[in-house]
Amino acid sequence: MKLNKFKYISSLLAFVIWSIWTYFVNLQSDHVLISSMTQGLYSAVVTLFMISLIQYFYNLLPKNGIYFVLPSIFTVTITTILIVFIHLLINTYDVFYTVLPTIFVAFLFSLYTTKQLTKKEQNV
């Protein structure tokens, strides 16, 4: 799949999945819609940004051993810090359960993206 198509489909899916997840996790909150839309929009934008950031770290670092996971670790750390801060700022009811699954999925997504970059590089 071409990288641009992959980015946009991933971004759309991130918006849908994480806004719905956030809605249900924070259902008892007065801020449920704000939290849900914030998480959905953040996830969509960050998904686009993550792919570029992963590419940046991937090109910057050696391509062997432990270095394979470093682009994912760096990218997910940066994006996690940002979203936790945003949720604290908007008074999301349950920041921990709102963000925790997104961290795991973002890390897996990052590893998958790094693997795709490796395959693309090997095919060139």
Side-chain angles (χ1 to χ4, degrees), residues 11-44:
S11 179
L12 178 63
L13 286 172
F15 173 80
V16 171
I17 291 168
W18 297 120
S19 60
I20 291 170
W21 168 257
T22 303
Y23 183 83
F24 285 108
V25 168
N26 295 285
L27 198 54
Q28 64 273 35
S29 170
D30 293 338
H31 300 113
V32 66
L33 288 176
I34 293 170
S35 296
S36 178
M37 288 298 104
T38 299
Q39 182 64 46
L41 289 171
Y42 181 83
S43 295

Side-chain angles (χ1 to χ4, degrees), residues 67-112:
Y67 294 107
F68 179 81
V69 298
L70 287 180
S72 298
I73 291 170
F74 293 158
T75 301
V76 171
T77 300
I78 291 166
T79 58
T80 298
I81 290 168
L82 287 172
I83 194 57
V84 166
F85 175 75
I86 290 169
H87 277 297
L88 291 173
L89 191 66
I90 65 168
N91 279 334
T92 295
Y93 176 73
D94 197 338
V95 176
F96 181 78
Y97 286 113
T98 297
V99 175
L100 185 64
T102 65
I103 295 167
F104 290 120
V105 172
F107 187 70
L108 293 175
F109 176 77
S110 296
L111 288 174
Y112 174 78

